[in-house]
Amino acid sequence: MRKRTIILGALAIALAGTGGWYASLDKETRGLLAAMPTDRDVLMWSIGQRDAAFRAMDRLPLLAKASTMAPAAKPLPLPAGKPLVIPGIDEYLAKQRAAGIVILQDGKVRFERYGLDFDATGRWTSFSVAKSFTSTLVGAAIQDGYIKSLDDKVSQYIPGLRGSAYDDVSVRELLTMSSGVKWNEDYEDPNADVAKFNNAKPEAGMDATVSYMRKLPRAHPPGQVWHYNTGETNLIGVLVSSATKKPLAQYLQEKVWQPAGMEAPGTWLLGQSGHEIAGCCIQASTRDFARFGLFVLANGKAGNQQIVPVDWFTQATTKQKDIGDPGKGYGFQWWTYADGSMEAEGIFGQGIFIDPRRKLVIASNANWPRAILGPEPEARAAFYRQIQALIDAEAAAAGR
């Protein structure tokens, strides 16, 4: 048993015994203490530990420190629309172990439901849904002139990568996960890179992500092979903060959180070097995740301000790389579909599905039994198709 495991377990016992202080905590923090994870690796947690922790990842600094994004002074309204009647919805949400789902159509709430004792005021963690926020910050940095071109070399912005396999990799290749650098993203393998890199001891004076990634070998020439790699999204975050000279959470607050009209504070977990974990771990309300979908539908325009280049989301949410799955592709940290829809996806059931043609956004949070394996992913894809069909039927009935 590792030292940190012992410390976390002892902390849970000690804090739970402090009577009045414990009673004064909000329900999310009390739940976290009652089911305190005894391992820092989320992939090794039990379902009960995840149920407690996913809504409270930012509550205990010993578990993970976090930066905060302040909400907008005037949140974007989400008016109620005509309730959407969804056959089989209760069974679907139960099998998904859904914590929250918000369906917006034409900017109005058509359906909203919560489970696992979660509610509209809580923050649920995003996992890899954060990747699509991070890539959007690249667009903002280009619009602001901090990043000159997607064809710039990554090492131009991250000097610590010079001489590594990333030296000749472009920003575009990083965004599309086609660097050609060797990486293991197996969520059920404790020796995979994705399980090890956040915990690896960094070289003195170097960002933890850069320290780990610069040691990886090359597997393919840059730009030729798509390979999913969370570490590379973390590098994108380092690139953005290096180019803008601002912490990612601050830049996200300035460019998305407040302009897009987020209603509640959001948080972003920090890694060992105090840098936001760009490939993961934004905590927000389900409604605010849905508002991000509306920001994308608005082409990155908030009020009179164009946050990203006018063609950014056209590129970012269009298939840039073939992933070997018919009808599906990969853009700039977005999963793309042949019908023009796109999705931000996170392990254990987090997602923001966006369908521009139907002006549809589906934001959902869950705690699946396994990270990506099992029947839940395909069931969710079928659910998206069901909602699209319901909206099409409505339009046909109305003669549109």
Side-chain angles (χ1 to χ4, degrees), residues 61-345:
L62 183 62
L63 190 62
K65 294 182 180 179
S67 293
T68 299
M69 291 82 70
K74 294 182 178 180
L76 179 70
L78 294 180
K82 179 183 177 181
L84 189 63
V85 178
I86 308 171
I89 185 63
D90 292 335
E91 181 182 6
Y92 168 76
L93 294 177
K95 288 184 176 180
Q96 287 281 301
R97 303 197 77 254
I101 182 169
V102 174
I103 300 177
L104 307 179
Q105 203 249 328
D106 203 17
K108 298 177 181 179
V109 179
R110 300 292 310 274
F111 185 86
E112 184 171 11
R113 185 81 64 83
Y114 296 92
L116 303 183
D117 200 30
F118 187 64
D119 57 40
T121 65
R123 292 191 296 268
W124 197 268
T125 196
S126 69
F127 292 105
S128 289
V129 167
K131 290 180 168 70
S132 301
F133 284 84
T134 296
S135 76
T136 300
L137 293 184
V138 175
I142 290 173
Q143 180 75 357
D144 290 345
Y146 293 118
I147 296 174
K148 301 304 180 184
S149 170
L150 291 181
D151 297 319
D152 288 347
K153 300 304 181 186
V154 173
S155 55
Q156 178 179 330
Y157 299 92
I158 310 176
L161 293 177
R162 290 172 185 163
S164 74
Y166 284 98
D167 207 354
D168 291 327
V169 173
S170 69
V171 177
R172 186 186 306 275
E173 288 159 349
L174 209 59
L175 283 170
T176 57
M177 293 195 179
S178 59
S179 70
V181 176
K182 188 176 181 181
W183 175 267
N184 183 344
E185 186 88 10
D186 186 345
Y187 299 117
E188 302 200 3
D189 178 0
N191 292 313
D193 293 296
V194 73
K196 296 190 300 183
F197 83 115
N198 275 327
N199 299 327
K201 184 178 179 180
E203 299 168 71
M206 183 171 288
D207 176 85
T209 295
V210 176
S211 177
Y212 187 92
M213 304 297 284
R214 70 197 298 265
K215 300 182 181 73
L216 297 176
R218 174 159 299 288
H220 307 282
Q224 293 189 7
V225 177
W226 176 84
H227 185 72
Y228 194 78
N229 185 330
T230 292
E232 294 193 341
T233 313
N234 285 16
L235 281 183
I236 294 171
V238 174
L239 186 152
V240 170
S241 58
S242 296
T244 63
K245 310 302 181 188
K246 296 178 180 181
L248 284 186
Q250 178 185 333
Y251 200 51
L252 182 65
Q253 175 181 288
E254 293 175 3
K255 294 299 172 182
V256 177
W257 217 258
Q258 293 183 349
M262 303 307 189
E263 184 176 20
T267 61
W268 204 336
L269 298 190
L270 306 178
Q272 291 186 70
S273 304
H275 191 283
E276 291 84 354
I277 304 172
C280 175
C281 310
I282 289 174
Q283 286 66 230
S285 72
T286 312
R287 281 185 156 225
D288 282 343
F289 282 128
R291 284 184 172 94
F292 181 59
L294 295 181
F295 176 77
V296 175
L297 284 179
N299 201 33
K301 189 173 184 179
N304 295 321
Q305 185 180 10
Q306 185 66 46
I307 303 296
V308 296
V310 292
D311 64 343
W312 177 260
F313 284 116
T314 300
Q315 295 183 71
T317 62
T318 298
K319 179 180 176 179
Q320 301 287 338
K321 292 294 177 182
D322 185 87
I323 64 172
D325 188 350
K328 193 173 182 180
Y330 203 72
F332 295 166
Q333 309 283 300
W334 289 91
W335 301 94
T336 67
Y337 297 91
D339 67 354
S341 59
M342 72 285 303
E343 185 179 13
E345 293 182 2

